[in-house]
Amino acid sequence: MSPAGELLTTALPRAAVRTLQRAGDISALSPARSADDPPITVPRDPAREAARRELSKRMYHENDPSLLQRALDAFWDWVDDLFSTASSATPGGAFGLVVIVLAVAAVLTALWWRLGTPRRRPASAAALFDDRTRSAGDHRAAAEAHAAQGHWSQAVQERTRALVRALEERALLDVRPGRTADEAAAEAGRALPAHTARLRSAARDFDDVTYGGRTATAEAYHRIAGLDRDLERTKPQLTTSSATGARTAPGAGRGAAE
């Protein structure tokens, strides 16, 4: 048998050889039928094509890895190559790379613990109230209904609106439809300076729920509800200009009369 014929016979499965033997347009590749007969060979190109057709059958690929498995293998090979390249370029090799990765993870964890989840802020905050005009009592009733059902985000929103509406009803804030929660807190803090920090905190809770995608808690709601009750019992503080005007107004009148 020629070296080429022996190689092809060894490489091809028996089924492929039988396929070649059944083909009528090409010679079949098979071992010599006797010691005296020369082996029957097949030209290289037809043999390659016949083998390709035979080996493409499903029966030869039943145990092949799935597409997902091949993708995972490729991914982990890439990770391994990346890790090997990085470790070779890092002082201390693989151990030094592990130390650096752990240090970076620790820093990121500390930042997350200190700053919390990043909050999405709108380019410009929307108005505190919608188009419907409701009283402070209406907003409080809606807040209590949400709180009774455990809907703390809606309860925080409604109680904050109740708080601001109550200040408008007491003329501590002017009625302004486009006012935001931060603006209301800043303006109310000038008339009620003892509650400035709590007003700003309530505005932040409102913004976190309404625009930041966070979920309110029962504690947040009860803080705002307590602030709302305290503001109802708090008298506003006159500004310096108002107090000065009140003191000088009588004297100014007497001078004018004289």
Side-chain angles (χ1 to χ4, degrees), residues 11 46 69 84 100 127 129 134 190 194 201 209:
Q69 184 62 45
S84 299
I100 292 175
F129 296 102
R134 292 184 291 172
R190 289 192 286 270
S201 177
V209 169

Side-chain angles (χ1 to χ4, degrees), residues 104-114:
V104 172
V107 171
L108 293 177
T109 302
L111 289 175
W112 178 84
W113 181 266
R114 180 68 180 83

Side-chain angles (χ1 to χ4, degrees), residues 244-258:
T244 302
R247 289 194 300 269
T248 59
R254 287 193 299 272
E258 294 172 356

Side-chain angles (χ1 to χ4, degrees), residues 12 23 28 34 112 122 126 141 170 181 185 198 202-203 234 237 240 250:
L12 294 177
S34 66
W112 178 84
R170 294 172 61 188
R198 297 173 69 189
T234 302
Q237 176 177 315
T240 303

Side-chain angles (χ1 to χ4, degrees), residues 4 20 25 39 47 87 99 103 131 134 139 146 153 160 167 179 185 201 212 223 239:
L20 292 175
D25 56 342
S87 61
V99 171
D131 295 334
R134 292 184 291 172
H139 287 294
H146 286 304
S153 296
T160 305
L167 295 177
R179 177 185 284 115
S201 177
R223 283 198 306 269
T239 61

